[in-house]
Amino acid sequence: MSRNCLRNEIKSRISASSEFVFMPSDFFDLSDRDQVGRALRQLTKERFLVKIGYGVYVKTFVSKYTGKILPSGNLRQIAEVVLKRNGVEVCPTRAEIAYNTKQSTQVPTGFVIGVNKRVCRKLSYGDASIRYEKI
């Protein structure tokens, strides 16, 4: 399969999908790791996808307010999808528990995600990044 043909196949699969987070392993049935990686990099250059972290790509859309290309879904939603796909359970953080039980009036930012085991994955877009709190 030629590179452009593979790129078009991946692009059409992404367009038809209701999911917004993709990993290279989603396309290994089409070709090998190297060719899939090249096709995903090309789609990222075309701004059809945005890379959020190592092996994590997200569909994009054009903001009707600013005209900028933005990822579909917010960073927390993307991180939760990635964590669940990797077998990590997402839990409320200590700050979220304190806020929900009215022990604190400090509203959690959403950039800290509670997890049930150690996570080394870095996910970020622009100035925002996700941190993990082991619960």
Side-chain angles (χ1 to χ4, degrees):
M1 187 180 286
S2 73
R3 188 180 308 159
N4 278 336
C5 184
L6 176 63
R7 183 190 64 78
N8 292 338
E9 182 68 29
I10 289 174
K11 188 173 183 175
S12 67
R13 187 181 285 189
I14 290 170
S15 296
S17 176
S18 62
E19 298 291 321
F20 59 93
V21 177
F22 298 93
M23 296 180 171
S25 59
D26 297 336
F27 308 106
F28 287 165
D29 60 319
L30 299 175
S31 190
D32 64 23
R33 177 180 295 274
D34 291 337
Q35 288 185 352
V36 167
R38 280 192 289 274
L40 290 172
R41 278 192 300 278
Q42 190 173 8
L43 289 171
T44 302
K45 281 182 185 175
E46 293 171 9
R47 300 173 77 175
F48 181 74
L49 294 175
V50 65
K51 188 173 181 179
I52 299 293
Y54 181 76
V56 180
Y57 297 87
V58 180
K59 277 186 192 180
T60 59
F61 72 97
V62 178
S63 169
K64 63 182 179 180
Y65 302 110
T66 63
K68 292 183 179 180
I69 302 291
L70 298 173
S72 299
N74 64 46
L75 197 54
R76 184 179 178 97
Q77 292 171 327
I78 294 165
E80 287 179 1
V81 169
V82 170
L83 292 170
K84 287 177 185 172
R85 285 187 63 179
N86 288 316
V88 177
E89 184 181 328
V90 176
C91 316
T93 63
R94 288 189 285 274
E96 290 169 337
I97 292 169
Y99 179 75
N100 291 334
T101 58
K102 307 219 185 296
Q103 295 173 349
S104 172
T105 58
Q106 184 69 42
V107 179
T109 63
F111 292 117
V112 179
I113 296 178
V115 293
N116 66 338
K117 58 185 173 183
R118 185 172 175 265
V119 176
C120 294
R121 183 176 285 276
K122 179 173 167 70
L123 298 172
S124 62
Y125 183 75
D127 295 342
S129 64
I130 294 291
R131 292 183 303 129
Y132 307 100
E133 179 180 289
K134 187 171 180 215
I135 303 297

